Structures are given as structure tokens and as C-alpha cells.
Amino acid sequence: MDVYLGSKRVRLDPRASIGKGGEADVFDLGDGRALKVWKTPDHPDYAGQDAEQRAAEVRIERHQDKLRAFPPALPDQVIAPLELATDKTRKRVVGYAMRLVRGAEPLLRYGEPSMRHGGLSSAAVSEVLARLHRAVAAIHDRGVVIGDFNDLNVLVAGGEVFVIDADSFQFGPYLCQVFTERFVDPLLCDPSLPRPLLSRPYSQGSDWYAFAVMVMQSLLCVGPYGGVFRPRSASARVPESARPLRRITVFDREVRYPKPAIPYRVLPDDLLDALYRVFVEDRRGVFPRRLLDALAWTRCPSCGVEHARPACQACAGAAPAVVKESTVVHGEVLATRILSTRGVILAAALGPGGLSYLVNEGGRFLREDRSVVMSGAPHPATRFAVHGKATLIGRGGDLVVLSPGAAPERIQVDCVGTRPIFDVNARARYWTRGGQLLRSGKPGAAALSGEADAVPMGEVLAGQTLFWVGPTFGLGFYRAGNVSIAFVFDADRPGLKDTVKLPFPGGKLTAATCVFDAGPSSSSNDGRGCPNDGRGCPNDGRGRPRAGRAWLFLAAEQAGRTVHRCVVVREDGAVEAVADGDGEGGSWLGALTGKCAASGFLLSATDSGVVRVEVRGGALVETRQFPGTEPFVTQASRLLVGPEGLFVVDAQAITLLRIS
């Protein structure tokens, strides 16, 4: 497809794609600008979706006059249309050119616990929110309402904030008609429905409501309606999706506060009071910026928690004792504390040599044997991995491999957004660069060889490809413009099979992760829930685990909702099962984190404990719950399964669980 910017024809090349939303594709024009093109009803992403096809036609028609009347002189923080893009008739508007913001993350990421553990400070979050407050006030001063204001249309780059998706702004006679459930003001919704649905026009007050949601989500890693509502009275129960309409917030005593979230008592009382008034008492108006400006964060010297109060509420101020390995019996679970740190655990893996991990503690990066890898503090844009004795550190397009007694090895890698793309299994490391998927060394080599010996595995799309690798095979995909390709590959041999029919969820893909198992085993499990019987995985005769499954987890913003999808893919690329769930719903699909697979089944950590999920008749079925694990896991825990049992890796502790 070609579009026109003035008299210049622009070819929509998938290689120039830099983003894909639910309504549009975005391309790099190469001159400091990006091109946003709305999806037409015949776009492949809408195949078989009649409602989405009709909405696409209405959306394009609605923008014909609106974009031509777009208000000028909006604040610099607004990524506004600079030039309209038309079809070959030069009359019909199909998109627009805008400033390109490089190296940005959506504000959504600032509400993820992993970002805090990775080095993002509360003070930095507060500064971003204060800048966003100024931007919202300046937009309102121009007589414009943002409308569908959410943490995906706010970008953060270098501490500065930018508001995108300006084509949905509300001004003059042009109403904003799209919404996001987590951010839509319930005062604008029909309270009789089972979930929020926009039914009245946006206002400046609804923008400030959405801003308050972002304040809470970004500072506490939980929104006002997070957690799970468990009332004692059966008559008081409501669907989780209806809680905003009933104002049942995390401040409610019968709401189970999510374990990975930051306790709300780290905030000062006046800020908590302001949030309570917005979400419970329906107060609207300009959010008090002084409450953000006055935040003074400090780290408790006793427990290490960041707080903005005169005294830490998380502890009594007693000096911590040295934590040693301890064992606790809880029902059917024997829990042994393997590691406890005042720092943060950045990576962990199970390999032939047992458990290995990387910790940042006291300004040093330490391995499991307490050897110092390097000095410094983690950065939230950095990815870490451990691979035998080697430590992998990726930031931007640079991947550094640090091995004992060897000079650092530097590898250039592709990025998707700000994420450097690489992965490892027991035998090799893998990365993408310049549109190629590469593997280190020779298959089966005992030692890792350098980049000079890299083995090309296949062609992919540069800057758009995500992939993961397991014991025997890998899975990946890229999406750009009209192109959506998923592939599997043998972990040892070159070649990609790019005919995987991966059922992507509709809307904007916001996150993806994947775990692998080594296939079902007649010797793996006796039905009592032990992740592994200690005899290891079956063997395919070549010293490799038998072919298994990839469990792919996708998150998407779809028709205003956050939807999570699990897709089970076999090594031959066949899709074996698919399941969907609501984000933050409390089920095993309520989060993408906290998953591991072994011996043909999935273990998922929830705030209520570990659950087991299996493929049965083409469906994903929760077959067993392990309530005895509840004290030792959260939905953000990383799980690793091995002969010893189930390792639970949290931000500051590693615990080994044995389930009898």
C-alpha cells in the first residue's frame, strides 16, 4: 500500500515499521518523523472480525474533517499531526505524519514491579507524573480534552513525557468515542452494566480521573480496582469487571491487595486521602499537583522499603537479623529459604550445575558464589541473564557477556523498542541483529564460542522480532504493517519454520513472554503435584529432552479491555490450545508472569498459591491447586522447576518448595 504526504508517495515498507496498535500501524519516515496509518476494514488484523471492520470504516470517515480541523499550538509534549497522509486520490485522509520519539517507554511500564526491582526509583516516577500533570493542564488551557487518556498513550523518554494518539483528542464538535476500561471515568458509564462502557462525553474532569489512576498505578504498581474482591457475604459479590461501577477499590477491607504491589501506606496521608476522594467519593477537578511536588522519598535503613512518610510503616525500625537458610512446613509444602538479600535478584536459571543467579547488593553485581561481576546499580532499561558461569547484560543495542577469567565480549543486537533481543538455553545463546537470528558456537559445543563463530539460524524482521528459546526449540514472531509472521526453529540446526498459525489477540499487543517444557513423561509425575520426581526428563536418544511445548503468553488492549491469551505451540509449529483471561482477574491468566512448564503441564503462581494447568482435548484446564504454597508465592514470582522441587524467585528471596 502507498500513501501520499503532499505530492510525495510513501511506500509502507514493513521494514520501516516501528509500532502496531489496535487501530493503526506506525512507520519511520527516516527524517525524524513517524507516519501513522489507520487500518482499513480489509487489514489482515481484522480478518473475520465484522465489528472491527465496521469500526475501522467509521473511524476513517470520522477523521476526514476532524484532522483538518485539528487545533494548532498545542503544548510541545503533544505528538500532534504535522502533515496529513492521503490515499492515491489525494483527498481521503488515511493517517498523518508526526514527530518521532525515540528510546521511549509507555507509562504502562512504570507501573510494573519489575521496573522498580530493575532500578526505577519512586522519585523518578514522581518527577514523570509532575511533568505529565503540567502537560495535561496545558492541553486543557487550549480547550482540548484528551479523552481516552491511558498509560499506553503517554510515552516517557529521558524523563520527559509525551502524549500520543492525538487524533482521538476531543475538541469543538469532535467527540472522543473510544475508551480504556482501566481509565474511563465510571461517572461517564452506565452503572447497570456488568463492566464500564462509555456512554457520556469526556470532560476535563474525566482526564483528571484518568491522571489519578496513573498516579496510583505508577507509584504503587496497582490501580484503584486491582486485587481481588472476596466479600464474606455471597449477596455482595459482583464481577471483577463491575467493581469500578460500584466503587469497590483496593481501599475496601474485603479486597485482597495484590502481593506484588507496593503497600499504599508508603504514600503520605494527604495523597492517599486525595486518591480515596477520587475513587470512592467521586471527587473530580484538577488533581492537586502540590501533592506530587511535596513527595520526599527515602529508603528505610531497616527494611529497605522506599516511602514518602515521616517514618516507615512497613517495619518497627528494628535492625534486621542475618537471614540464614530456614525450612518451614505449611500443609503439604516443605519450604526452604535458599537466599535472602537486601538487594535485588536480577536473573536466575537452572542448569546442569544447579541453580545460578545474579544479585545486585551494596552497589555490586554478585553471582551465586558471591563473586563480583562488576560494580554499579541496575538500570530499568537493562536486561540480565545468567548462562553457566557467564553473565549477560543487555542495554540498547549492546549485549555484554562477562565470563570469569576472560575479557568482556561485546555483541551488537537488535532492539524492539528499548528491549535488547537475546535469549539462552543450556547449550548456547541466541540474538537477532540486522534481520538475522544468530546462535553462538557450534551445536553441542561444550564451551561457548565468540561472535565470530555465530551460526545464522534464519532471516527475521529487524527491530520487530521477539523470540524465546527452550531446551530443544525456539518460538518467535514479528508483526509490521500488514505482515504477521510466527515461526519455530530447532535450537541446534539452522532454519526457521515460519508457517505457524499463531492466533494473535485483537487490539494493541502490550507484552509477551514464553516458557517451554520438555514434553510429557511417564516418569515425571504421580498425580500428587510434585513438579518433578527427581529422575529428570525423558530423552530423545540424542542427549536432548524429548520434544515438548512452548507456552506463549500475550497481553493486549482490546476494545478498551486488557486481555491475556495463552497459546500452546508444539515443536512442529502446530497450535495445540488457546485460552483467554482478563488482566488482573486473579486467575492463572491474570498475569503473564509467574509461569514455568515441565513434563507436559504448566505451573502458574497466583497470589492464592500455585495452580497446575494441562492441555486436555484442545483446551487449557486448571487441574489442581496447591493452597499450601500461598505464603511463598505471588503472581510476580519467577518459577523454576528441577529435580529438587520448585524454586520460587522473588525480588529479594529464593525459596525451594517441595510438594508432598
Side-chain angles (χ1 to χ4, degrees), residues 546-570:
R546 191 184 342 171
R549 299 176 172 123
W551 301 70
L552 176 67
F553 296 88
L554 304 170
E557 292 293 322
Q558 183 183 98
R561 299 168 52 197
T562 301
V563 176
H564 291 169
R565 174 168 290 181
C566 176
V567 185
V568 182
V569 182
R570 294 204 308 255

Side-chain angles (χ1 to χ4, degrees), residues 463-482:
Q464 296 297 319
T465 301
L466 295 174
F467 78 90
W468 301 264
V469 64
T472 62
F473 78 105
L475 171 69
F477 66 83
Y478 52 86
R479 306 181 75 202
N482 291 341

Side-chain angles (χ1 to χ4, degrees), residues 267-527:
L267 300 181
D269 288 338
D270 52 359
L271 179 52
L272 285 174
D273 182 64
L275 295 172
Y276 185 90
R277 289 174 182 271
V278 170
F279 302 125
V280 179
E281 299 179 350
D282 290 337
R283 298 289 183 91
R284 297 296 182 265
V286 178
F287 190 88
R289 200 182 87 191
R290 60 178 177 78
L291 299 179
L292 298 174
D293 293 338
L295 287 173
W297 294 94
T298 186
R299 189 173 295 278
C300 175
S302 177
C303 67
V305 169
E306 275 190 298
H307 65 89
R309 302 178 67 91
C312 178
Q313 301 292 301
C315 65
V322 176
V323 179
K324 299 180 180 180
E325 180 177 300
S326 59
T327 299
V328 176
V329 177
H330 189 265
E332 62 187 356
V333 177
L334 179 69
T336 302
R337 180 61 55 89
I338 302 299
L339 170 71
S340 183
T341 176
R342 288 284 303 277
V344 61
I345 301 167
L346 300 171
L350 276 174
L355 179 69
S356 57
Y357 50 83
L358 176 69
V359 177
N360 184 264
E361 187 178 82
R364 299 183 302 170
F365 292 84
L366 306 172
R367 287 297 301 264
E368 63 279 355
D369 60 359
R370 305 299 292 177
S371 62
V372 178
V373 175
M374 65 178 188
S375 299
H379 187 280
T382 304
R383 287 188 65 205
F384 301 91
V386 289
H387 192 200
K389 296 298 183 182
T391 304
L392 282 67
I393 304 171
R395 183 175 174 186
D398 295 318
L399 173 62
V400 179
V401 182
L402 303 176
S403 301
E409 181 184 350
R410 299 184 181 276
I411 301 173
Q412 293 299 303
V413 301
D414 285 344
C415 288
V416 173
T418 61
R419 174 182 176 177
I421 303 303
F422 66 93
D423 203 2
V424 299
N425 65 10
R427 297 184 304 283
R429 57 180 180 261
Y430 305 75
W431 65 95
T432 60
R433 182 181 61 226
Q436 276 196 320
L437 175 62
L438 301 164
R439 180 194 191 279
S440 64
K442 298 178 180 179
L448 295 178
S449 52
E451 185 177 5
D453 299 320
V455 177
M457 303 293 287
E459 299 290 330
V460 295
L461 189 60
Q464 296 297 319
T465 301
L466 295 174
F467 78 90
W468 301 264
V469 64
T472 62
F473 78 105
L475 171 69
F477 66 83
Y478 52 86
R479 306 181 75 202
N482 291 341
V483 176
S484 290
I485 300 293
F487 58 88
V488 291
F489 60 96
D490 188 284
D492 290 340
R493 295 187 292 268
L496 307 182
K497 183 178 182 179
D498 60 3
T499 57
V500 180
K501 304 299 183 183
L502 200 61
F504 291 102
K508 180 179 177 62
L509 197 64
T510 59
T513 189
C514 187
V515 297
F516 294 80
D517 70 46
S521 167
S522 59
S523 65
S524 65
N525 196 285
D526 60 7

Side-chain angles (χ1 to χ4, degrees), residues 229-238 254:
F229 182 44
R230 291 288 185 266
R232 287 184 291 273
S233 170
S235 62
R237 294 173 185 167
V238 301
E254 293 187 306

